[in-house]
Amino acid sequence: MIAARALTRSFAGRPAVSSLDFEIRKGEIYGIVGPDGAGKSTLLRLMAGILRPDSGELTFDGADIYADPAAIKERIAYMPQRFGLYEDLTVEENIFFFGRLFGLSAREIRKKLPVLYRFSNLEPFRERLAGKLSGGMKQKLGLACCLVHDPEMIMLDEPTNGVDPVSRREFWKILYDLLSGGVTIAVSTAYLDEAERCGRIALMYRGSFIRSGAPEEIKKMTGTPLLEIRCGEPRKAEGILKRDPRYRNVIRTGESLRIFIGDPAAHSVSIRKILSENGIPAAKAGVIIPSLEDTFVEVIRRKEADA
């Protein structure tokens, strides 16, 4: 659906998107994951035809996005972080407004309302001003406005940022329903648990994709086992281990400590010995499957160390 080759965009001489090559397949959820400032929003704006690249190519369904941007925009929907809802209009008035922007007649929009209300659960609030909606409901309304013209692909820029957990779950259920209907979805997020729900993801950092693939594939890309240590006083244990050059990269996660390290069996013995000698007995250590968060932090650490 989307293909990019050497896609680059800079601002004031600083690259926001740096020579990216990637493809987004029809009928998949493609996640762009990274911290603030990674370049996610710039990339989505390039894909939506809002920004032009400094260099490189970007095609939608084989057609150059910038050759006829108006034709492309009829087939896509882009929802920025702060969607431009009119807060002094009601829920239904907003849907009609955006439908008319896409050239739909009032009759065509009315036919679509039952479907839009069914997936968003907004019908009981159809007469409520958008400015009076909760954060999660605003995001659902924004998505409804994006879908009023039946796009083939939707691009969502951190759609659940600042939304409560229940609303986040409901929003993702909506995305899965759209996926089953054949819609292609590109979504950026800073939430690693949301990335697990995507078919494929790209870990983005400083304008580049540092890893890409299915979530389970990415977890294996460090090539190093993840050792988890459980003990009493994990905060104290972290400080003790970090004094040893071998364990400076240990990270405390809740009540446990984690470190990517080769030969985990030998190091688990060494770590238990160090902690025991410092008054922290009965430590347990074992290899676990890393989460995406573990992998992302480790990949970035290595990249910065190499730099």
Side-chain angles (χ1 to χ4, degrees), residues 8 15 42 61 87 110 113 160-161 222 229 257 280 282 294 299:
T8 300
T42 299
D61 202 16
E87 297 198 347
R110 287 193 190 94
L113 283 177
T160 59
N161 189 25
T222 61
I229 305 100
L257 304 172
I280 303 178
D294 293 323
V299 169

Side-chain angles (χ1 to χ4, degrees), residues 124-195:
F125 311 98
R126 60 195 301 171
E127 299 302 326
R128 182 175 295 186
L129 294 178
K132 300 295 184 181
L133 298 175
S134 67
M137 291 170 69
K138 284 182 179 179
Q139 294 301 82
K140 290 178 185 178
L141 176 55
L143 186 57
C145 292
C146 283
L147 296 173
V148 70
H149 67 297
D150 294 325
E152 299 170 43
M153 180 174 185
I154 58 174
M155 305 171 189
L156 310 171
D157 191 1
E158 298 196 33
T160 59
N161 189 25
V163 175
D164 67 89
V166 173
S167 295
R168 282 175 59 194
R169 180 177 296 181
E170 291 175 350
F171 194 90
W172 273 90
K173 182 182 181 302
I174 292 171
L175 296 188
Y176 279 128
D177 290 341
L178 293 172
L179 189 68
S180 65
V183 177
T184 303
I185 302 169
V187 55
S188 72
T189 180
Y191 297 119
L192 275 298
D193 62 316
E194 289 190 347

Side-chain angles (χ1 to χ4, degrees), residues 233-280:
E233 302 182 80
R235 186 185 297 273
K236 179 181 176 182
E238 179 187 22
I240 292 169
L241 289 176
K242 283 189 172 181
R243 295 187 209 133
D244 190 312
R246 296 172 295 173
Y247 308 127
R248 283 177 182 165
N249 298 323
V250 69
I251 295 175
R252 181 166 51 87
T253 305
E255 296 300 312
S256 68
L257 304 172
R258 296 180 182 181
I259 185 169
F260 284 93
I261 198 162
D263 196 0
H267 283 289
S268 65
V269 173
S270 173
I271 286 171
R272 285 199 298 268
K273 181 180 179 182
I274 291 171
L275 294 181
S276 178
E277 290 173 349
N278 285 273
I280 303 178

